Amino acid sequence: MKNIREIIVNISRILLISLWAYTAAMKLGNMERNLDSMHKQFFPTYIGDILAYLIPVMALVTVAFLLYRTTTGLWFSIALLASFSVFIIIAFADIFPGQTCACAGIFPRLGYVFHLGFNIIMLGIALGLILYNKQTRGEAENRYQSRPYKLFYKQHD
């Protein structure tokens, strides 16, 4: 049973790593299209310029954390997926005028409902991994109980 759980955890982690690596590659690989897409949004052009570079950089940072500091990478994934989901809901509700971007180009021909569903599934995977990590590895209630603190600082019991 433990092997099956570990396989599911590893597949889930690989899915998130693949999502963010692909997102970064698509955005950075076609920066002209990415900038054009961001300039068509409801926010000012300078914010579009910032986001056009920030989103792929954050995707790469998330990949790095998922590889080396999984819990932090999962929290970054949750933050990115939640913000993209809010953006899709705003676009779907037609709250602001303007054309939205192609959601990293993974499913460019599919609509908002599909993208929102995909984001919710990926968000569920990230949340599930956070809960699994917390349950199996536990978390120190404070920094004084954590292993690194015990290794490098003198104990005052």
Side-chain angles (χ1 to χ4, degrees):
M1 187 68 161
K2 186 176 181 179
N3 289 339
I4 293 172
R5 285 184 187 160
E6 289 301 317
I7 290 170
I8 291 170
V9 166
N10 288 331
I11 288 171
S12 300
R13 209 166 133 227
I14 289 168
L15 281 173
L16 287 168
I17 290 168
S18 300
L19 171 68
W20 299 126
Y22 183 80
T23 298
M26 291 301 296
K27 300 278 185 194
L28 292 172
N30 196 348
M31 187 52 76
E32 185 177 316
R33 179 174 176 242
N34 187 23
L35 281 165
D36 181 55
S37 180
M38 288 293 178
H39 291 157
K40 292 178 181 175
Q41 303 309 313
F42 56 83
F43 38 75
T45 302
Y46 72 92
I47 291 176
D49 290 338
I50 293 168
L51 290 175
Y53 291 96
L54 182 63
I55 290 171
V57 168
M58 288 306 300
L60 290 175
V61 167
T62 302
V63 167
F65 275 114
L66 285 168
L67 290 170
Y68 298 106
R69 302 281 298 191
T70 305
T71 303
T72 304
L74 290 171
W75 283 115
F76 276 15
S77 293
I78 289 167
L80 287 170
L81 286 163
S83 63
F84 295 152
S85 295
V86 167
F87 180 80
I88 291 170
I89 290 168
I90 289 170
F92 186 66
D94 206 22
I95 293 172
F96 297 103
Q99 176 184 347
T100 60
C101 59
C103 298
I106 296 175
F107 308 109
R109 290 179 179 41
L110 300 174
Y112 294 130
V113 174
F114 180 85
H115 282 99
L116 185 60
F118 179 79
N119 278 7
I120 289 171
I121 290 169
M122 296 305 285
L123 189 59
I125 288 171
L127 286 169
L129 288 176
I130 285 279
L131 293 174
Y132 179 78
N133 280 347
K134 194 173 190 178
Q135 182 181 38
T136 57
R137 294 190 177 109
E139 286 185 347
E141 289 183 25
N142 61 49
R143 69 183 181 111
Y144 301 108
Q145 294 174 333
S146 70
R147 182 182 161 106
Y149 185 83
K150 287 180 180 178
L151 289 175
F152 296 110
Y153 299 98
K154 185 177 179 181
Q155 295 294 308
H156 299 283
D157 292 329

